[in-house]
Amino acid sequence: MDAFETTNIYFHRAADLLGLNERVRTLLLNPSREVKVSIPIEREDGTLAHFVGYRIQHNNARGPFKGGLRYHHQVNAEEVKGLASLMTWKTGVVDVPFGGAKGGIACHPQDLSEHDLEILTRRFVQQIHEFIGPTVDIPAPDVNTNAQIMAWIMDEYSRMKGYAPAVVTGKPLALGGSAGREDATGRGCAIVIENFFKSQGKTLKGLRFALQGFGNVGSHLAHFLDEKGALVIGVSDSHGGVMRGEGLDIPRLIEYQRREKTVVGFPQGNSISNEELLVMDCDCLAPAALGEVLTRENARHVKARVILEAANAPTTPEADEVFEKKGRVVIPDILANAGGVVVSYFEWVQNLQSFKWTLEQVVEELTRVMTKAYESVVNIATTKKVPLRTAAFALGVGRVAKAMTLRGL
Ligand code: GLU
């Protein structure tokens, strides 16, 4: 089953709950536009390299298409399509006025020099510039992309069309980026999990977390959890992991990872594999890297009571079923990791108004939006007696369906 089919399983569950008819389902399911481009570049060493890039725009009934751009060797049309539709439901869940899109370039970014990455990004923008824009489609960072790459996108687009900072979010602060955008996804995850335990009469103090992934999402999530007194007892990245039962020293680990580009070999802890990390005895497991890491095989061995989906689509539908049977709570991606796109919305608003918000304003608004989304999802889950994922999809899909119906074909 590919990523798009997986997302659509959840879509249909929500559509059943909402009583949507076939006509509305057909309109909601099919992506509005799928762009696939060829990107030849001359590398720094003079050789020619060829890449394939995608931008898939799923739905824009509630506002311009919105979603990240990833640079990864596994990027393909089906995966991008699935991730694009997840963005449509995600922007619906947090009620920001955007639709959903996703894009990417199939490449090994770690094998490309800074020069090659810049050329690749600029060439990609030249190929897709007709399809993006501040009121059309607004890309953002995702797996292996960052503020520098967004800066090149903004610059290349602005050269062709005139100064347009709102064409992309997740930019550097010096170029119209927003305070609090870089750590927004991690901060949003922390707000959601804090709300979850609060509803059980608990604070995060002393609760044990295991995080898979220590990139832009995982490392910031670790920081916020540590700040709130939780114990981060295991973390991993694509090279391996590290654990310490009494809690890892997160500020030191962050420093170590910045220097070494991996958490492997961190002296104050024992090494652990990625598979071992997923089944660690802990209160909450947060997959914060790639999709489909929790499968039918390993789900049975997961000991965490709560799975916080900091990554997009980390749980396969088979694993989801195992978790449901075993009474594990899954806080779904389209709620858990929506903090990124929420602050992207704040960045876009600031760009359109040429006005800067303070970090305090961003955090206050983000907390309000995430808490409201969390409460709405829990409310649907409780009244309809469905898992949080079905409830979140029902909230997102319901909002998009309403907008589409009001606008007409
Ligand atoms: N890539 C992030 C996501 O998957 C952020 C998207 C955005 O800010 O547009 O939600």
Side-chain angles (χ1 to χ4, degrees), residues 93-337:
V93 168
V94 284
D95 206 8
V96 292
F98 289 132
K102 202 80 166 200
I105 300 176
C107 64
H108 286 96
Q110 62 285 354
D111 296 344
L112 295 171
S113 67
E114 176 96 349
H115 166 274
D116 294 348
L117 269 180
E118 176 173 351
I119 301 292
L120 178 64
T121 304
R122 290 186 184 275
R123 261 322 261 275
F124 183 50
V125 176
Q126 288 162 17
Q127 297 274 57
I128 64 162
H129 74 273
E130 288 165 70
F131 307 109
I132 61 174
T135 59
V136 183
D137 181 359
I138 305 132
D142 200 89
V143 175
N144 295 332
T145 53
N146 55 25
Q148 175 62 73
I149 291 174
M150 300 307 118
W152 291 326
I153 295 176
M154 180 275 214
D155 181 68
E156 194 62 31
Y157 184 85
S158 296
R159 275 168 204 257
M160 287 184 271
K161 307 262 184 164
Y163 180 63
V167 65
V168 68
T169 58
K171 296 177 293 295
L173 275 174
L175 286 180
S178 176
R181 174 61 187 88
E182 194 161 297
D183 55 15
T185 310
R187 196 191 296 270
C189 288
I191 295 168
V192 169
I193 197 68
E194 194 171 24
N195 271 296
F196 172 81
F197 282 112
K198 196 166 136 198
S199 67
Q200 307 197 335
K202 291 193 182 109
T203 66
L204 295 184
K205 221 175 166 54
L207 291 180
R208 296 159 315 142
F209 284 76
L211 314 184
Q212 189 198 40
F214 210 66
N216 186 45
V217 180
S219 64
H220 289 119
L221 174 58
H223 163 78
F224 291 118
L225 292 171
D226 182 59
E227 202 177 64
K228 290 171 193 291
L231 301 177
V232 180
I233 61 169
V235 304
S236 67
D237 58 31
S238 57
H239 306 284
V242 56
M243 65 148 298
R244 184 166 179 267
E246 311 87 82
L248 291 155
D249 183 337
I250 294 301
R252 275 197 147 152
L253 180 58
I254 290 174
E255 230 173 73
Y256 178 88
Q257 193 270 346
R258 279 202 189 125
R259 206 174 50 239
E260 305 292 330
K261 307 280 172 254
T262 177
V263 296
V264 173
F266 181 59
Q268 289 94 17
N270 299 319
S271 74
I272 180 175
S273 72
N274 255 298
E275 269 307 308
E276 286 167 330
L277 179 119
L278 294 174
V279 299
M280 271 181 91
D281 186 7
C282 59
D283 297 293
C284 177
L285 168 68
L290 292 171
E292 294 178 6
V293 293
L294 293 166
T295 60
R296 187 205 312 267
E297 288 72 41
N298 61 18
R300 288 183 289 133
H301 307 294
V302 167
K303 293 176 200 69
R305 286 185 295 132
V306 188
I307 292 101
L308 178 68
E309 292 189 334
N312 285 316
T315 311
T316 65
E318 294 85 12
D320 216 43
E321 229 168 83
V322 175
F323 292 143
E324 208 188 322
K325 278 199 191 112
K326 295 187 87 176
R328 310 267 191 247
V329 179
V330 179
I331 306 184
D333 44 12
I334 56 173
L335 168 66
N337 71 32

Side-chain angles (χ1 to χ4, degrees), residues 66 87 90-91 93-98 169 178 180-181 184-185 188 334-335 337-350 357 362 365-370 373:
K66 185 85 189 85
M87 284 308 303
K90 190 187 296 184
T91 51
V93 168
V94 284
D95 206 8
V96 292
F98 289 132
T169 58
S178 176
R181 174 61 187 88
T185 310
I334 56 173
L335 168 66
N337 71 32
V341 76
V342 170
V343 179
S344 275
Y345 166 54
F346 300 157
E347 179 174 331
W348 181 74
V349 166
Q350 292 172 72
W357 295 13
V362 169
E365 279 298 300
L366 174 66
T367 308
R368 188 185 61 76
V369 172
M370 294 304 291

